[in-house]
């Protein structure tokens, strides 16, 4: 039985197959419409979510399966003091697969160790968000044609943004990837990523503060929200929240085929006037999130559709 805690849990070949499957699902949805009949997905969300939870639910429903779960810690027995280990042992009796989001780093991993069903990390604190990364990889591969040879700008809250951490881990395995890390001094990537991931693997990267300086050379700009819920005090958040706003003027400095991605939710960091630009791909990205989660559910449940 396999779980998904980090994008690195899949080899590059396995990821290729998963993305191929997601593309096939996109083109032939009918072929998969009954593939999970009789199967149940539990969504255990101890932290707010719109896209991740609903796209998981839509994915399972599209496959002909059903869903159950909770969408906040308050409405689960966590509020009575139950541990994730106990909760997952019980969920294992009710469902065939579980997607779990938790504010504590490592909670889905702890759950997976006691689980009798595959557990998917749907975001653990400021740590990782592997299914967003699968979504990002599918979007990039589908719209750019390849996952190699790209100069990737990551902009915003690189310290607490778990989507960025997982995406860096995933992309370093493809040839000729270069990162431009754009953030205020206080929100730079954690040092373990800089030292143990980027430097240790000899990945080319630059750290910058001004988006205008970075944007002309990028093939891809991944914007992120300042992660308010991970700040120790509100004043720091208020000072940093509008540090970056991608406007039409800034986008004018970019390549004609640069992609703008964002895991969403957006707060202020992309001006709504950018939404109509053909380079803005964040709503298409959310759509890819359903196909890739369908592919993931089939893969972890070891269901093969001929
Ligand atoms: C992200 C998350 O939860 O980390 N959202 C998502 O799953 N699409 C990004 C964010 O909340 O900023």
């Amino acid at each position: 039985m396999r779980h998904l805690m980090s994008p690195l849990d899949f080899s590059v070949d396995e990821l290729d197959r998963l993305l191929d499957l997601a593309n096939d699902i996109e083109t032939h949805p009918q072929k998969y419409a009954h593939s999970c009949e009789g199967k149940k997905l539990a969504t255990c969300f101890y932290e707010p979510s719109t896209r991740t939870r609903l796209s998981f639910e839509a994915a399972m429903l599209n496959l002909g399966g059903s869903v159950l779960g909770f969408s906040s810690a308050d409405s689960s027995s966590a509020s009575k003091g139950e541990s994730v280990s106990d909760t997952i042992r019980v969920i294992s009796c009710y469902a065939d697969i579980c997607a779990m989001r938790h504010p504590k780093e490592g909670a889905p991993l702890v759950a997976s160790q006691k689980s009798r069903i595959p557990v998917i990390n749907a975001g653990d604190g400021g740590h990782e968000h592997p299914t967003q990364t699968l979504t990002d990889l599918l979007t990039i591969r589908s719209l750019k044609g390849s996952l190699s040879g790209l100069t990737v700008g990551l902009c915003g809250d690189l310290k607490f943004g778990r989507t960025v951490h997982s995406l860096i881990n995933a992309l370093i395995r493809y040839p000729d990837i270069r990162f431009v890390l754009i953030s205020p001094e206080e929100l730079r990537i954690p040092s373990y990523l800089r030292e143990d991931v980027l430097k240790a693997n000899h990945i080319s990267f630059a750290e910058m503060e001004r988006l205008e300086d970075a944007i002309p050379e990028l093939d891809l700009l991944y914007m992120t929200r300042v992660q308010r819920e991970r700040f120790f005090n509100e004043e720091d958040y208020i000072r940093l929240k509008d540090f970056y706003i991608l406007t039409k003027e800034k986008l004018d400095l970019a390549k004609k085929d640069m992609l703008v991605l964002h895991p969403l939710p957006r707060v202020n960091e992309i001006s709504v006037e950018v939404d109509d630009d053909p380079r803005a791909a964040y709503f298409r990205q959310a759509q890819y999130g359903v196909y890739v989660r369908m592919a993931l559910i089939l893969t972890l449940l070891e269901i093969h559709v001929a």
Side-chain angles (χ1 to χ4, degrees):
M1 187 180 60
R2 290 185 79 167
H3 307 286
L4 178 68
M5 294 298 128
S6 152
L8 300 179
D9 294 347
F10 286 121
S11 68
V12 172
D13 281 351
E14 286 174 322
L15 272 181
D16 272 348
R17 284 199 290 277
L18 187 99
L19 301 184
D20 289 345
L21 178 59
N23 283 138
D24 195 59
I25 290 170
E26 179 188 7
T27 1
H28 308 288
Q30 273 312 319
K31 207 168 113 185
Y32 298 89
H34 304 285
S35 52
C36 281
E37 252 163 25
K39 300 284 184 197
K40 293 193 231 38
L41 163 78
T43 50
C44 299
F45 277 60
Y46 296 85
E47 226 189 26
S49 167
T50 303
R51 262 150 304 273
T52 305
R53 186 171 63 84
L54 296 185
S55 65
F56 261 117
E57 297 194 358
M60 193 48 152
L61 296 173
N62 289 346
L63 294 168
S66 31
V67 294
L68 66 165
F70 54 85
S71 55
S72 77
D74 299 346
S75 63
S76 79
S77 282
S79 64
K80 301 180 186 169
E82 186 173 55
S83 66
V84 289
S85 305
D86 282 2
T87 304
I88 197 67
R89 287 172 101 146
V90 175
I91 303 280
S92 296
C93 309
Y94 305 154
D96 301 283
I97 184 164
C98 172
M100 179 180 285
R101 168 170 289 189
H102 202 286
K104 285 216 178 83
E105 288 80 5
L109 178 64
V110 170
S112 72
Q113 289 159 350
K114 284 284 171 353
S115 181
R116 288 191 288 110
I117 58 174
V119 177
I120 299 163
N121 175 7
D124 62 328
H127 184 218
E128 292 232 51
H129 193 346
T131 66
Q132 181 62 48
T133 296
L134 300 181
T135 303
D136 302 339
L137 297 180
L138 179 64
T139 311
I140 300 166
R141 205 187 72 163
S142 303
L143 301 180
K144 279 266 165 213
S146 166
L147 289 166
S148 35
L150 299 170
T151 298
V152 178
L154 301 165
C155 178
D157 187 347
L158 309 187
K159 179 178 181 187
F160 296 118
R162 56 193 173 194
T163 60
V164 163
H165 304 162
S166 291
L167 187 57
I168 291 177
N169 273 315
L171 280 177
I172 62 161
R173 299 193 291 179
Y174 296 90
D176 201 15
I177 288 285
R178 182 167 175 266
F179 292 104
V180 184
L181 306 170
I182 309 149
S183 73
E185 178 68 29
E186 290 152 280
L187 298 179
R188 287 168 68 186
I189 52 162
S191 59
Y192 78 87
L193 272 173
R194 186 179 304 102
E195 302 301 324
D196 305 341
V197 177
L198 294 173
K199 287 191 185 164
N201 290 288
H202 312 290
I203 306 296
S204 157
F205 73 99
E207 297 190 87
M208 296 193 182
E209 195 167 275
R210 275 170 49 89
L211 177 56
E212 298 85 323
D213 295 343
I215 207 166
E217 59 171 323
L218 305 178
D219 298 308
L220 183 88
L221 172 60
Y222 194 93
M223 296 295 295
T224 61
R225 167 181 75 89
V226 177
Q227 306 280 299
R228 178 181 202 161
E229 63 277 34
R230 318 250 180 257
F231 276 71
F232 290 112
N233 71 67
E234 185 73 2
E235 283 141 52
D236 288 343
Y237 169 72
I238 290 168
R239 190 164 44 77
L240 293 166
K241 72 183 172 75
D242 292 327
F243 203 92
Y244 297 109
I245 301 179
L246 180 64
T247 55
K248 257 187 151 70
E249 290 68 41
K250 285 191 195 127
L251 201 53
D252 283 344
L253 305 169
K255 290 184 186 167
K256 292 283 166 269
D257 63 348
M258 185 191 77
L259 274 190
V260 184
L261 299 184
H262 190 307
L264 303 176
R266 150 178 65 186
V267 186
N268 273 333
E269 56 281 353
I270 302 179
S271 153
V272 289
E273 66 189 14
V274 169
D275 296 357
D276 296 327
D277 191 290
R279 291 167 287 188
Y282 28 93
F283 292 113
R284 278 176 282 165
Q285 190 181 357
Q287 174 68 60
Y288 282 117
V290 179
Y291 306 134
V292 94
R293 288 183 174 96
M294 290 169 74
L296 177 65
I297 291 170
L298 289 173
T299 304
L300 294 181
L301 290 178
E302 297 181 42
I303 294 173
H304 304 283
V305 178

